[in-house]
Amino acid sequence: MTQQTTGEAAGHPPYLYPDYKSTRLRAPKEPLVILPRSLPDVTGPAHGRGRIDATDADLTRQHEGEPLGERIILTGRVLDGDGRPVRNGLVEVWQANAAGRYTHQRDQHPAPLDPNFSGAGRCLTDDEGRYRFVTVRPGAYPWKNHDNAWRPAHVHFSVFGSSFRSRLITQMYFPGDPLFEHDPIFQSVRDPGAQRRMISSLDLGTTEPEWALGYRFDIVLEGRDATPFERPHA
Amino acid sequence: MSGETGPEPTPSQTIGPFFHDALLERDLSELVSPDHPGAIRIEGAVCDGAGDPVPDAMVEVWQADAAGSYGSEEFSGFGRSGTDDEGRFSFTTVKPGPVPGPEGIPQAPHANVLIFARGLLRQVVTRLYFPDEEEANAADPVLASIEDAELRETLVARRVGDALRFDVRLQGEGQTAFFEFE
């Protein structure tokens, strides 16, 4: 695939990025088939997640005690390609604990689990497209991609917009992390401007004095707000 | 993006290997219950360029209801399945009706399928078409846009016993056709 895809032109990483070894056998190599712009969007809320509780958005209150680590507030807005808020959109997050360990059976690196931290949360955006999570700052952790490989601290985000083409899974990073230049997943996004769009910013307005630092991370999805198309049996 | 206004999109990053508790803690693979009238079962496996199973993928389907409507009150049309050690996923759903396409040309019944996995820096997007819709498939504008017959065939599920079989090959011989938006 020599030609840049429209996704890459918009700042998304290529499928094949050999420094991230797992892409070598999983990246498609046939040219992508272009779906014409005139194709109606698949619309609909369509995530069927059922009820969402308040504790789903507060990862520090899902157990008896409080997790160890630096308490933080993560907030921002989910916007469509026109900059309009995505309302009532599902945002799901997952992350390592403060020691850099996931509560997952395949994470066996010798850092402690925290009995008071599961590291999974979800919420719906409000009328301004805003989401808000309370959590602890995740630690960096080693992985086996190459010798002495470490992931910069990050929170995984899964986001739904108004249509199927706006579906996004990404990772949010923290400002100034010295591991960025050594991380092939971060570096798979080549454009420095696009890299900056994955980094949260410290926000004193979100910070709650004497309690938690606030970080702001706005998410922009592909595609415009869906205009309902004619339905065949309407 | 030239000539367009609006903010630049947030880049995609891989789902990684550790998403299960956050994204699959509830079973969303049944879009309808197995005893729903007209329920069908879709089964498949995801494999990589070496032909090995991908045991840590997440597969999402987005489809219209039997009448060809998206996102109705009764039928969300959204499903999610993980993959097991053999790379297998499955869904219980209904066959979607035909949906409108560009310039009034209807599209053949199909389900949109997204695959996320460690090693995929962005999801791959494909479509599942139905083997008993030869006429509609032949007239489908998206299928017709794929000149390579072998590549086109990767999008049509096969009937195996009571289920529809839809395998996803990420890379190599017989790679599934994947899409992107213009």
Side-chain angles (χ1 to χ4, degrees):
Chain A
M1 214 165 11
T2 47
Q3 214 177 348
Q4 201 186 37
T5 65
T6 56
E8 287 167 63
H12 293 291
Y15 285 114
L16 182 64
Y17 191 71
D19 286 354
Y20 173 26
K21 281 189 182 158
S22 300
T23 66
R24 295 180 190 175
L25 279 173
R26 293 185 171 187
K29 292 189 172 169
E30 297 289 336
L32 299 173
V33 177
I34 309 292
L35 287 174
R37 211 177 267 277
S38 57
L39 209 62
D41 265 354
V42 175
T43 60
H47 43 70
R49 286 301 305 233
R51 211 183 60 218
I52 290 177
D53 299 324
T55 56
D56 285 339
D58 188 340
L59 286 70
T60 68
R61 296 190 181 280
Q62 294 173 348
H63 298 274
E64 283 286 306
E66 281 205 83
L68 291 173
E70 183 186 337
R71 192 188 295 115
I72 60 171
I73 298 161
L74 294 184
T75 188
R77 297 172 77 204
V78 182
L79 304 170
D80 73 11
D82 285 325
R84 288 184 295 203
V86 172
R87 300 187 173 91
N88 209 34
L90 178 65
V91 181
E92 297 162 293
V93 294
W94 67 103
Q95 63 167 89
N97 67 22
R101 178 91 186 261
Y102 286 88
T103 54
H104 192 288
Q105 58 178 20
R106 285 185 202 156
D107 184 2
Q108 293 297 331
H109 115 260
L113 286 168
D114 185 335
N116 290 315
F117 192 71
S118 302
R122 60 192 64 80
C123 73
L124 295 174
T125 55
D126 67 13
D127 281 351
E128 267 104 46
R130 205 173 304 280
Y131 70 85
R132 184 178 186 273
F133 293 101
V134 179
T135 183
V136 294
R137 184 177 171 127
Y141 59 85
W143 61 313
K144 298 192 188 319
N145 185 71
H146 55 275
D147 186 43
N148 200 14
W150 292 79
R151 295 295 330 278
H154 60 276
V155 176
H156 295 266
F157 273 72
S158 163
V159 188
F160 288 78
S162 55
S163 87
F164 149 81
R165 65 188 292 186
S166 52
R167 182 80 175 94
L168 176 73
I169 288 184
T170 190
Q171 301 181 24
M172 184 216 84
Y173 299 93
F174 292 89
D177 197 317
L179 287 169
F180 289 154
E181 62 181 291
H182 305 292
D183 179 44
I185 294 181
F186 181 87
Q187 292 295 338
S188 70
V189 173
R190 301 308 298 152
D191 172 47
Q195 288 181 347
R196 281 195 292 276
R197 299 199 290 275
M198 304 189 290
I199 305 171
S200 58
S201 54
L202 177 70
D203 182 21
L204 287 179
T206 298
T207 295
E208 295 199 11
E210 315 295 327
W211 191 69
L213 281 174
Y215 288 88
R216 198 181 157 81
F217 179 58
D218 289 338
I219 298 167
V220 179
L221 304 178
E222 294 277 355
R224 276 45 179 162
D225 198 9
T227 332
F229 54 88
E230 274 183 68
R231 294 190 166 160
H233 62 293
Chain B
M1 302 295 285
S2 60
E4 294 179 24
T5 54
E8 301 287 332
T10 305
S12 173
Q13 293 272 266
T14 179
I15 193 171
F18 302 132
F19 57 85
H20 299 80
D21 291 344
L23 303 184
L24 293 170
E25 97 293 353
R26 247 185 68 208
D27 182 8
L28 293 170
S29 70
E30 291 190 352
L31 289 80
V32 297
S33 77
D35 54 11
H36 188 277
I40 58 170
R41 188 169 162 82
I42 293 168
E43 297 175 347
V46 182
C47 73
D48 69 12
D52 292 327
V54 175
D56 50 4
M58 180 174 83
V59 182
E60 287 183 352
V61 292
W62 299 55
Q63 66 161 88
D65 64 15
S69 271
Y70 281 105
S72 67
E73 287 287 312
E74 309 77 45
F75 181 72
S76 76
F78 175 76
R80 239 183 211 174
S81 172
T83 54
D84 67 11
D85 288 346
E86 270 84 58
R88 290 177 303 200
F89 62 88
S90 67
F91 294 98
T92 303
T93 183
V94 294
K95 183 178 168 183
V99 295
E103 287 130 34
I105 307 167
Q107 302 183 66
H110 66 273
N112 302 285
V113 181
L114 282 67
I115 297 103
F116 302 85
R118 176 177 63 83
L120 281 178
L121 285 161
R122 193 180 186 197
Q123 68 263 30
V124 288
V125 178
T126 186
R127 286 179 162 208
L128 179 160
Y129 286 87
F130 293 83
D132 57 348
E133 291 282 350
E134 272 184 45
E135 206 173 310
N137 290 346
D140 181 83
V142 171
L143 282 178
S145 74
I146 306 172
E147 284 171 24
D148 181 339
E150 207 175 309
L151 192 61
R152 192 166 61 233
E153 280 304 306
T154 64
L155 300 180
V156 183
R158 291 175 292 126
R159 177 155 289 286
V160 176
D162 288 338
L164 287 171
R165 177 87 194 179
F166 185 70
D167 292 327
V168 176
R169 177 116 198 200
L170 294 176
Q171 187 193 87
E173 187 73 30
Q175 187 208 296
T176 303
F178 297 116
F179 295 97
E180 70 168 339
F181 287 92
E182 190 174 28

